[in-house]
């Protein structure tokens, strides 16, 4: 059984954080340490520690991350100029929180940014 991270507490609002979106599958909130004008994290409500742990059963929730990213990008007014979606995996990927999350970054030119 994987250990919960701070993100599970945010999903349950045990740590008060403004949720930009929440449904039965995913939640979204602003990154505490934004690396771009818009920096939002979109996460599954269910704890999946890394991309390596995604199974076929998770295909619906993984797809939902993208439809919510699209919706939030429109809400932020960054759809036309563009944005970047990033998911880090494990040490070499620079993953810090072991509850998978999609970074939605935009609002300015992002350049060749590799690490966030
Ligand atoms: P990773 O490096 O794992 O892909 O990204 C983890 C992200 O979570 C980082 O960008 C970090 O700033 C963000 N983060 C870590 N702890 C918190 C928190 O308590 N609240 C919020 N909103 N973001 C967090």
């Amino acid at each position: 059984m994987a250990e919960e991270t701070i993100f599970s507490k945010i999903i349950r609002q045990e740590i008060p954080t403004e949720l930009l979106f929440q449904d039965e599958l995913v939640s979204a909130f602003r990154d505490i340490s934004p690396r771009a004008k818009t920096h939002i994290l979109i996460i599954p409500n269910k704890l999946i520690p890394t991309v390596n742990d995604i199974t076929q059963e998770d295909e619906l929730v993984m797809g939902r991350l993208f439809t919510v990213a699209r919706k939030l990008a429109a809400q932020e007014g960054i759809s036309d100029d563009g944005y970047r979606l990033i998911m880090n995996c494990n040490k070499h990927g620079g993953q810090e929180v072991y509850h998978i999350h999609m970074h939605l970054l935009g609002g300015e030119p992002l350049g060749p940014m590799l690490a966030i």
Side-chain angles (χ1 to χ4, degrees):
M1 190 65 180
E3 231 175 271
E4 279 193 357
T5 73
I6 197 155
F7 287 178
S8 291
K9 293 192 168 70
I10 290 174
I11 292 163
R12 295 195 297 263
Q13 288 288 282
E14 290 163 19
I15 295 177
T17 300
E18 186 197 354
L19 295 175
L20 303 178
F21 181 89
Q22 187 167 60
D23 67 6
E24 78 287 6
L25 290 179
V26 310
S27 300
F29 48 89
R30 293 192 194 280
D31 196 291
I32 203 168
S33 168
R35 256 56 60 74
K37 276 188 187 148
T38 291
H39 187 174
I40 294 170
L41 301 174
I42 309 157
I43 71 178
N45 294 337
K46 154 188 177 186
L47 171 54
I48 304 171
T50 78
V51 172
N52 292 334
D53 302 301
I54 296 170
T55 68
Q56 212 167 357
E57 274 177 24
D58 299 321
E59 285 176 0
L60 182 63
V61 66
M62 296 312 296
R64 186 69 57 86
L65 296 180
F66 280 94
T67 51
V68 171
R70 185 205 64 205
K71 219 177 287 186
L72 290 173
Q75 207 169 288
E76 293 285 306
I78 62 173
S79 301
D80 289 345
D81 284 338
Y83 50 90
R84 186 169 295 155
L85 301 173
I86 295 177
M87 197 175 276
N88 294 322
C89 181
N90 275 340
K91 198 170 50 173
H92 285 188
Q95 186 174 2
E96 285 168 11
V97 179
Y98 283 79
H99 180 137
I100 56 170
H101 44 281
M102 178 184 274
H103 295 260
L104 164 60
L105 295 137
E108 58 190 311
L110 296 170
M113 182 201 301
L114 269 179
I116 53 161

